[in-house]
Amino acid sequence: MAARPRADEVLAALGIEGEAAGASTGRFLACSGEVLESASPTDGSVLGRVRLAGEAEYEQVLGAACEAFRRWRLVPAPRRGEIVRRLGNAFREHKRTLAQLISLEMGKILAEAEGEVQEAIDIADFAVGLSRQLYGKTMPSERPGHRMFEQWQPLGPIAIITAFNFPVAVWAWNAAIAAVCGDTMVWKPSLLTPLTSVAVQRICDQVFAEAGQPGVMNLLLGAQPLAERLVADRRLPLVSATGSCRMGREVGRVVAGRLGRTILELGGNNGVIVAADADLDLLERAVLFGAVGTAGQRCTTIRRLIVERPVLEPVLQRLVTAYRQVRIGDPLAPDTLMGPLISRAAVEAYERALAAAVAQGGEIVYGGRVLREPPYDRGHFVEPTIVRAHPQMPIVREETFAPILYVMPYETLEEAIAIHNDVPQGLSSAIFTRSLRTAELFLGPAGSDCGIANVNLGTSGAEIGGAFGGEKDTGGGREAGSDAWKAYMRRQTCTINHSTELPLAQGIDFSLAARRGG
């Protein structure tokens, strides 16, 4: 068995030694903010230190992004794609080490961390192909001798604000696509995963410097005042923000006040409907990953299981048996299935949610404990938990970023869909059934109201080829695949007159001869 990697060795392999700097414009700046210690959620050990950006670095970073945009927008899109291809290859080269750092700093198991880096690689590949497909439409003109078409132009420097739970992948969804679209960017990552963001930025700096294009991807790791300044900055026509619904409402309000654009990826309270004819073996595997993976700290985590009453007890029995086999512990250990929560605050939120569930009539069927005995006592470990619930419990409508699964019964499909949709969030959803008719009803206009709807698979693990995002309090934004690229560009409608006449649209005659009556 390979030895557990040491934090200092992992950081050194990624070019981070000593006190890291929290701002980069293609090269790291000497920052003036406070020093932030990054502690492992597994054992509380200090992994490294980062000096945060201050007010002076803010202007340097924003200035670099604006200056680089003036150059970058003129680079042909396929050439931009070639540089993003090199970035994807750099992530391939550092995949294992970067995944180890994610596990150390965020706490997800190594297999999931490697999958996250693979997402960054995949979206880079997707973006390379996209760089030759930024298509506009040609439309017939009603005026003879005219050609009308639309084209897409780079939007400008954009802000990318990311959360702790996917410290690489969500940034990559935005950054790779924005780069081939001709935008530059300022990245404000979570203060809970600062070392991972510094490591990613070092890789970006090297790739873009070698291509002679510094300043395309920039890092601004700062405290709340700098984040607020970033959101309000009129130089940034687009803010893509991932986080809580509370954060998203504030970002949306501020950006709308300056008539900017947003991509908001906010809370998810994801439900799965289980019909009586479901394949329960398939369901069990899907729920185990969907509800327990990343310790319940995915925006696509399964949080509600809505089960047709005849199979409610068999489903609960299967899940309890499966949950008992979940090994909790060091996320770098090969046999671990669930690592720690990110922080003490997350543990406290877990405890509050379960107390509320019991007070509101719920029953803890499995789990419910904070693990405080050795070897868990120095970290933020909890048991994955199953709660027998009912739809009227207020806590069921809330998203708790922890491995809590609420299981509730239903009688008819219409009732199940109503229960499913009766939450403020609308990110991901699923149904398990062998019935084509049931599946199609769930996918139809009177079915799931979420941005993602699946049949016979869980709510997690979205592929980058499809647009990712949700409705209602989830924010309505879309990232990654399909035509999500359009959010990073500005549409321009163009008309060319190649005749010697000047006919007006709608048949308007504005000639002097017509005004004079002949």
Side-chain angles (χ1 to χ4, degrees), residues 86-107:
R86 296 182 207 171
L87 181 63
N89 287 340
F91 283 127
R92 283 184 174 89
E93 180 183 346
H94 294 286
K95 178 178 176 178
R96 180 75 175 183
T97 310
L98 192 54
Q100 289 171 337
L101 179 56
I102 294 170
S103 290
L104 286 166
E105 190 169 44
M106 184 268 153

mmCIF file of all heavy atoms in Angstrom, residues 86-107:
data_model
loop_
_atom_site.group_PDB
_atom_site.id
_atom_site.type_symbol
_atom_site.label_atom_id
_atom_site.label_comp_id
_atom_site.label_asym_id
_atom_site.label_seq_id
_atom_site.Cartn_x
_atom_site.Cartn_y
_atom_site.Cartn_z
ATOM 1 N N ARG A 86 -3.611 23.060 -24.141
ATOM 2 C CA ARG A 86 -2.383 22.909 -23.348
ATOM 3 C C ARG A 86 -2.700 22.945 -21.854
ATOM 4 O O ARG A 86 -2.074 22.227 -21.054
ATOM 5 C CB ARG A 86 -1.395 24.017 -23.695
ATOM 6 C CG ARG A 86 -0.886 23.985 -25.123
ATOM 7 C CD ARG A 86 0.115 25.104 -25.340
ATOM 8 N NE ARG A 86 0.165 25.520 -26.725
ATOM 9 C CZ ARG A 86 0.813 26.585 -27.152
ATOM 10 N NH1 ARG A 86 1.455 27.369 -26.282
ATOM 11 N NH2 ARG A 86 0.824 26.896 -28.437
ATOM 12 N N LEU A 87 -3.662 23.774 -21.483
ATOM 13 C CA LEU A 87 -4.056 23.829 -20.072
ATOM 14 C C LEU A 87 -4.629 22.481 -19.630
ATOM 15 O O LEU A 87 -4.303 21.978 -18.544
ATOM 16 C CB LEU A 87 -5.082 24.943 -19.861
ATOM 17 C CG LEU A 87 -5.573 25.152 -18.426
ATOM 18 C CD1 LEU A 87 -4.431 25.561 -17.515
ATOM 19 C CD2 LEU A 87 -6.684 26.199 -18.392
ATOM 20 N N GLY A 88 -5.493 21.891 -20.454
ATOM 21 C CA GLY A 88 -6.027 20.572 -20.126
ATOM 22 C C GLY A 88 -4.936 19.532 -19.986
ATOM 23 O O GLY A 88 -4.973 18.677 -19.087
ATOM 24 N N ASN A 89 -3.932 19.585 -20.853
ATOM 25 C CA ASN A 89 -2.809 18.646 -20.749
ATOM 26 C C ASN A 89 -2.011 18.867 -19.477
ATOM 27 O O ASN A 89 -1.504 17.909 -18.872
ATOM 28 C CB ASN A 89 -1.908 18.781 -21.975
ATOM 29 C CG ASN A 89 -2.536 18.187 -23.223
ATOM 30 O OD1 ASN A 89 -3.451 17.364 -23.134
ATOM 31 N ND2 ASN A 89 -2.065 18.588 -24.391
ATOM 32 N N ALA A 90 -1.888 20.124 -19.049
ATOM 33 C CA ALA A 90 -1.189 20.401 -17.793
ATOM 34 C C ALA A 90 -1.954 19.804 -16.613
ATOM 35 O O ALA A 90 -1.344 19.278 -15.665
ATOM 36 C CB ALA A 90 -1.022 21.905 -17.608
ATOM 37 N N PHE A 91 -3.281 19.863 -16.666
ATOM 38 C CA PHE A 91 -4.062 19.219 -15.605
ATOM 39 C C PHE A 91 -3.911 17.702 -15.651
ATOM 40 O O PHE A 91 -3.909 17.042 -14.609
ATOM 41 C CB PHE A 91 -5.533 19.621 -15.713
ATOM 42 C CG PHE A 91 -5.820 21.003 -15.204
ATOM 43 C CD1 PHE A 91 -6.478 21.925 -15.994
ATOM 44 C CD2 PHE A 91 -5.422 21.392 -13.929
ATOM 45 C CE1 PHE A 91 -6.741 23.205 -15.532
ATOM 46 C CE2 PHE A 91 -5.671 22.665 -13.455
ATOM 47 C CZ PHE A 91 -6.337 23.580 -14.260
ATOM 48 N N ARG A 92 -3.787 17.138 -16.841
ATOM 49 C CA ARG A 92 -3.519 15.707 -16.939
ATOM 50 C C ARG A 92 -2.211 15.358 -16.239
ATOM 51 O O ARG A 92 -2.116 14.372 -15.504
ATOM 52 C CB ARG A 92 -3.436 15.279 -18.403
ATOM 53 C CG ARG A 92 -4.757 15.146 -19.109
ATOM 54 C CD ARG A 92 -4.566 14.624 -20.530
ATOM 55 N NE ARG A 92 -5.856 14.352 -21.157
ATOM 56 C CZ ARG A 92 -6.565 15.243 -21.838
ATOM 57 N NH1 ARG A 92 -6.087 16.487 -21.997
ATOM 58 N NH2 ARG A 92 -7.726 14.923 -22.362
ATOM 59 N N GLU A 93 -1.221 16.175 -16.470
ATOM 60 C CA GLU A 93 0.102 15.926 -15.883
ATOM 61 C C GLU A 93 0.058 15.986 -14.357
ATOM 62 O O GLU A 93 0.744 15.225 -13.671
ATOM 63 C CB GLU A 93 1.092 16.955 -16.426
ATOM 64 C CG GLU A 93 2.510 16.811 -15.885
ATOM 65 C CD GLU A 93 3.420 17.903 -16.409
ATOM 66 O OE1 GLU A 93 3.046 18.603 -17.380
ATOM 67 O OE2 GLU A 93 4.527 18.058 -15.840
ATOM 68 N N HIS A 94 -0.746 16.878 -13.816
ATOM 69 C CA HIS A 94 -0.772 17.087 -12.367
ATOM 70 C C HIS A 94 -1.999 16.463 -11.700
ATOM 71 O O HIS A 94 -2.280 16.757 -10.532
ATOM 72 C CB HIS A 94 -0.767 18.589 -12.068
ATOM 73 C CG HIS A 94 0.485 19.288 -12.478
ATOM 74 N ND1 HIS A 94 1.678 19.168 -11.793
ATOM 75 C CD2 HIS A 94 0.752 20.122 -13.526
ATOM 76 C CE1 HIS A 94 2.607 19.898 -12.371
ATOM 77 N NE2 HIS A 94 2.078 20.485 -13.429
ATOM 78 N N LYS A 95 -2.716 15.607 -12.424
ATOM 79 C CA LYS A 95 -4.006 15.116 -11.929
ATOM 80 C C LYS A 95 -3.904 14.480 -10.544
ATOM 81 O O LYS A 95 -4.658 14.825 -9.627
ATOM 82 C CB LYS A 95 -4.610 14.117 -12.927
ATOM 83 C CG LYS A 95 -5.925 13.512 -12.464
ATOM 84 C CD LYS A 95 -6.505 12.561 -13.502
ATOM 85 C CE LYS A 95 -7.772 11.891 -12.979
ATOM 86 N NZ LYS A 95 -8.382 10.980 -13.989
ATOM 87 N N ARG A 96 -3.001 13.554 -10.378
ATOM 88 C CA ARG A 96 -2.920 12.819 -9.109
ATOM 89 C C ARG A 96 -2.566 13.751 -7.954
ATOM 90 O O ARG A 96 -3.198 13.716 -6.892
ATOM 91 C CB ARG A 96 -1.882 11.702 -9.228
ATOM 92 C CG ARG A 96 -1.700 10.861 -7.975
ATOM 93 C CD ARG A 96 -2.845 9.911 -7.789
ATOM 94 N NE ARG A 96 -2.634 9.016 -6.652
ATOM 95 C CZ ARG A 96 -3.459 8.040 -6.308
ATOM 96 N NH1 ARG A 96 -4.557 7.820 -7.022
ATOM 97 N NH2 ARG A 96 -3.214 7.261 -5.268
ATOM 98 N N THR A 97 -1.562 14.589 -8.160
ATOM 99 C CA THR A 97 -1.111 15.468 -7.077
ATOM 100 C C THR A 97 -2.162 16.506 -6.724
ATOM 101 O O THR A 97 -2.401 16.787 -5.547
ATOM 102 C CB THR A 97 0.204 16.169 -7.474
ATOM 103 O OG1 THR A 97 1.128 15.189 -7.952
ATOM 104 C CG2 THR A 97 0.811 16.876 -6.279
ATOM 105 N N LEU A 98 -2.801 17.067 -7.720
ATOM 106 C CA LEU A 98 -3.844 18.053 -7.455
ATOM 107 C C LEU A 98 -5.023 17.402 -6.730
ATOM 108 O O LEU A 98 -5.615 18.010 -5.817
ATOM 109 C CB LEU A 98 -4.297 18.681 -8.772
ATOM 110 C CG LEU A 98 -5.175 19.937 -8.686
ATOM 111 C CD1 LEU A 98 -4.528 21.013 -7.827
ATOM 112 C CD2 LEU A 98 -5.455 20.476 -10.079
ATOM 113 N N ALA A 99 -5.353 16.179 -7.099
ATOM 114 C CA ALA A 99 -6.426 15.462 -6.403
ATOM 115 C C ALA A 99 -6.053 15.210 -4.942
ATOM 116 O O ALA A 99 -6.907 15.313 -4.046
ATOM 117 C CB ALA A 99 -6.717 14.143 -7.114
ATOM 118 N N GLN A 100 -4.812 14.885 -4.696
ATOM 119 C CA GLN A 100 -4.375 14.684 -3.310
ATOM 120 C C GLN A 100 -4.536 15.965 -2.491
ATOM 121 O O GLN A 100 -4.968 15.928 -1.334
ATOM 122 C CB GLN A 100 -2.912 14.220 -3.284
ATOM 123 C CG GLN A 100 -2.709 12.801 -3.787
ATOM 124 C CD GLN A 100 -1.245 12.436 -3.949
ATOM 125 O OE1 GLN A 100 -0.375 13.309 -4.093
ATOM 126 N NE2 GLN A 100 -0.951 11.152 -3.956
ATOM 127 N N LEU A 101 -4.227 17.097 -3.106
ATOM 128 C CA LEU A 101 -4.387 18.367 -2.393
ATOM 129 C C LEU A 101 -5.869 18.645 -2.109
ATOM 130 O O LEU A 101 -6.221 19.114 -1.017
ATOM 131 C CB LEU A 101 -3.779 19.507 -3.219
ATOM 132 C CG LEU A 101 -3.903 20.910 -2.607
ATOM 133 C CD1 LEU A 101 -3.307 20.969 -1.202
ATOM 134 C CD2 LEU A 101 -3.240 21.937 -3.516
ATOM 135 N N ILE A 102 -6.747 18.349 -3.062
ATOM 136 C CA ILE A 102 -8.182 18.530 -2.830
ATOM 137 C C ILE A 102 -8.629 17.670 -1.650
ATOM 138 O O ILE A 102 -9.374 18.135 -0.768
ATOM 139 C CB ILE A 102 -8.982 18.176 -4.098
ATOM 140 C CG1 ILE A 102 -8.682 19.166 -5.224
ATOM 141 C CG2 ILE A 102 -10.477 18.148 -3.799
ATOM 142 C CD1 ILE A 102 -9.249 18.760 -6.569
ATOM 143 N N SER A 103 -8.200 16.423 -1.603
ATOM 144 C CA SER A 103 -8.576 15.539 -0.496
ATOM 145 C C SER A 103 -8.052 16.061 0.835
ATOM 146 O O SER A 103 -8.772 16.041 1.846
ATOM 147 C CB SER A 103 -8.039 14.128 -0.739
ATOM 148 O OG SER A 103 -8.719 13.498 -1.804
ATOM 149 N N LEU A 104 -6.821 16.533 0.840
ATOM 150 C CA LEU A 104 -6.235 17.068 2.071
ATOM 151 C C LEU A 104 -6.978 18.307 2.552
ATOM 152 O O LEU A 104 -7.270 18.458 3.742
ATOM 153 C CB LEU A 104 -4.760 17.413 1.845
ATOM 154 C CG LEU A 104 -3.778 16.251 1.751
ATOM 155 C CD1 LEU A 104 -2.448 16.735 1.192
ATOM 156 C CD2 LEU A 104 -3.575 15.624 3.134
ATOM 157 N N GLU A 105 -7.298 19.200 1.632
ATOM 158 C CA GLU A 105 -7.830 20.505 2.030
ATOM 159 C C GLU A 105 -9.344 20.532 2.138
ATOM 160 O O GLU A 105 -9.899 21.222 3.008
ATOM 161 C CB GLU A 105 -7.369 21.562 1.024
ATOM 162 C CG GLU A 105 -7.653 22.984 1.475
ATOM 163 C CD GLU A 105 -6.974 24.023 0.621
ATOM 164 O OE1 GLU A 105 -6.996 23.907 -0.623
ATOM 165 O OE2 GLU A 105 -6.410 24.972 1.185
ATOM 166 N N MET A 106 -10.049 19.802 1.267
ATOM 167 C CA MET A 106 -11.511 19.838 1.272
ATOM 168 C C MET A 106 -12.119 18.630 1.969
ATOM 169 O O MET A 106 -13.186 18.732 2.566
ATOM 170 C CB MET A 106 -12.001 19.933 -0.186
ATOM 171 C CG MET A 106 -13.498 20.076 -0.358
ATOM 172 S SD MET A 106 -14.272 18.456 -0.559
ATOM 173 C CE MET A 106 -15.908 18.777 0.063
ATOM 174 N N GLY A 107 -11.479 17.464 1.882
ATOM 175 C CA GLY A 107 -11.947 16.295 2.610
ATOM 176 C C GLY A 107 -12.666 15.251 1.790
ATOM 177 O O GLY A 107 -13.032 14.208 2.325
#
